[in-house]
Amino acid sequence: MKNLIIPENYSSPLTLRETQSAVKYIKDTFQKKLIAGLNLDRITAPLIVFSDSGINDDLNGVERKVSFSMKEIDGTAEVVQSLAKWKRMALHRYGYQNGEGIYTDMNALRRDDDVDNTHSIFVDQWDWERVLTREDRNTDFLKKTVETIAHAVVDTFYGVKAKYPKIQGDFNRDVFFITSQELEDMYPDMTSKERENAITKEHGTVFISQIGSVLKSGKKHDGRAPDYDDWSLNGDLFFWHNALNASLEISSMGIRVDAQSLMKQLEICNATERTKFEYHKMILNDELPLTIGGGIGQSRLCMLMLDKAHIGEVQVSLWPADMVEKCKEGNIILL
């Protein structure tokens, strides 16, 4: 509740019924543009994995996973927190080659997330992954991929405005790129979130790269698990969100670890015990393809385009009772 924002004189541009129609339009339109831009195939994906598989996303390494025993299957199952590792295994198993990729509708539960205007314990996103060559493991290739995604967002928004004239505003099609260290140097007295707001307010569309390592200040811009993104080749994509007068992260993505960067990052995090898992062994033995991938928040994208003040206006989830009441008082109607 301490992070809940109630915009003054807030009113949703669309009715509840119009909102449901617009959510479907955004999801249908955006994923078509995404798969065309990145050459992706739609595949099915798991909701649950074995807890001892090493496949589940550990996020920052401290979040508790939703787990349970099964009636007829030995072991413990976990609800996924994302599919960062699973997708790379799938590309290998299904025989995808350079320039080809996959995407899926990923639904996850993150029980330890702090719920607020932009965070829910229910996570829905497009998870995607694409094979690349070692020569493409560089900043230029990362930037080109980011621009493809950003352009798909902006082009979808033009369609939304045409279909729903009550939607106002605009997005910057040109992405401003900056590293997390450059951003800290620019705003040394701000928190990470304050820096994100400042730079995105100025440029509209921003990609902050190199997230996960400790900065000169001795702090991280944000946490990253050590075993999927290469911290020197990753980042977050932000758009300026008028309803909240703040930046809104739409995508976290990156070029994935190879054998060298995996061991380096595991050692930094004192997590070398993970090398016992099949996924980590396959990377260290160069058996998995080199890839780039990420997640794009479905509800966040809808929230952004429809100028909604709370993610609960475009998805159904669970919220604290006092949050529901505060939102109602502020004319924010949660689904």
Side-chain angles (χ1 to χ4, degrees):
M1 281 292 294
K2 65 180 180 180
N3 295 321
L4 181 66
I5 300 171
I6 306 293
E8 187 175 355
N9 300 320
Y10 173 74
S11 178
S12 170
L14 302 182
T15 66
L16 288 174
R17 187 167 179 175
E18 288 172 332
T19 295
Q20 297 283 16
S21 172
V23 166
K24 182 180 186 303
Y25 173 82
I26 291 169
K27 292 184 177 183
D28 289 348
T29 304
F30 176 77
Q31 62 183 337
K32 289 177 182 177
K33 295 183 182 299
L34 179 71
I35 62 177
L38 296 181
N39 189 29
L40 307 176
D41 290 339
R42 170 70 165 81
I43 66 166
T44 58
L47 176 64
I48 52 177
V49 295
F50 281 109
S51 60
D52 60 357
S53 66
I55 292 298
N56 207 348
D57 188 350
D58 294 301
L59 302 178
N60 293 307
V62 297
E63 292 85 355
R64 298 173 301 161
K65 304 176 181 72
V66 177
S67 61
F68 57 92
S69 60
M70 297 165 283
K71 181 179 178 181
E72 295 184 341
I73 303 173
D74 293 334
T76 301
E78 292 176 348
V79 178
V80 297
Q81 296 194 120
S82 90
L83 298 174
K85 302 172 188 173
W86 181 88
K87 292 175 296 181
R88 193 169 177 180
M89 298 280 283
L91 286 171
H92 170 69
R93 182 181 178 190
Y94 299 156
Y96 279 80
Q97 303 299 313
N98 178 42
E100 300 175 336
I102 56 177
Y103 85 101
T104 188
D105 291 290
M106 193 284 297
N107 293 323
L109 294 178
R110 297 181 181 175
R111 60 188 290 185
D112 284 339
D113 269 14
D114 295 326
V115 295
D116 54 28
N117 296 75
T118 62
H119 293 88
S120 169
I121 63 172
F122 168 66
V123 179
D124 58 339
Q125 63 185 33
W126 291 284
D127 254 7
W128 64 274
E129 199 85 9
R130 188 181 182 205
V131 181
L132 47 67
T133 65
R134 182 160 294 279
E135 290 71 29
D136 286 332
R137 294 190 80 257
N138 58 63
T139 301
D140 286 341
F141 189 89
L142 175 64
K143 287 182 176 180
K144 290 178 183 177
T145 306
V146 171
E147 289 172 339
T148 298
I149 295 171
H151 294 168
V153 170
V154 176
D155 291 345
T156 300
F157 183 64
Y158 291 153
V160 172
K161 290 179 69 176
K163 188 174 179 64
Y164 303 94
K166 288 184 285 187
I167 300 296
Q168 302 297 315
D170 209 349
F171 297 139
N172 188 357
R173 188 178 178 84
D174 298 324
V175 184
F176 180 78
F177 292 91
I178 189 168
T179 69
S180 57
Q181 186 58 66
E182 290 170 340
L183 189 59
E184 183 184 65
D185 294 342
M186 188 179 296
Y187 304 112
D189 298 326
M190 292 184 179
T191 66
S192 295
K193 183 60 181 176
E194 289 170 344
R195 293 180 200 128
E196 292 168 358
N197 286 336
I199 199 69
T200 309
K201 186 173 185 178
E202 180 179 354
H203 295 280
T205 305
V206 174
F207 187 75
I208 302 173
S209 63
Q210 299 181 9
I211 296 177
S213 297
V214 175
L215 303 174
K216 293 176 183 176
S217 63
K219 299 178 181 179
K220 295 182 178 182
H221 180 84
D222 200 358
R224 283 294 186 278
D227 47 8
Y228 54 94
D229 282 353
D230 185 325
W231 294 344
S232 66
L233 293 167
N234 70 350
D236 293 337
L237 177 63
F238 295 86
F239 287 83
W240 186 251
H241 185 39
N242 289 322
L244 293 178
N245 192 34
S247 61
L248 184 63
E249 179 193 323
I250 293 299
S251 177
S252 178
M253 59 172 290
I255 292 174
R256 307 310 197 184
V257 290
D258 59 8
Q260 182 179 3
S261 56
L262 173 62
M263 272 315 299
K264 178 182 177 181
Q265 292 175 187
L266 287 177
E267 289 169 357
I268 290 173
C269 295
N270 295 315
T272 54
E273 75 282 353
R274 297 187 192 181
T275 56
K276 67 183 179 182
F277 295 122
E278 180 185 10
Y279 163 83
H280 300 77
K281 289 178 180 178
M282 293 181 76
I283 294 175
L284 295 173
N285 293 330
D286 292 324
E287 296 173 13
L288 288 182
L290 298 172
T291 64
I292 182 173
I296 302 167
Q298 295 187 11
S299 290
R300 282 200 184 180
L301 188 68
C302 295
M303 178 184 174
L304 174 73
M305 294 192 179
L306 302 181
D307 211 23
K308 299 285 191 176
H310 197 288
I311 197 169
E313 294 180 272
V314 294
Q315 67 154 239
V316 179
S317 187
L318 300 179
W319 312 100
D322 53 350
M323 178 178 288
V324 175
E325 187 60 32
K326 285 287 186 183
C327 286
K328 186 177 180 181
E329 292 172 0
N331 205 30
I332 298 174
I333 309 303
L334 305 180
L335 299 181

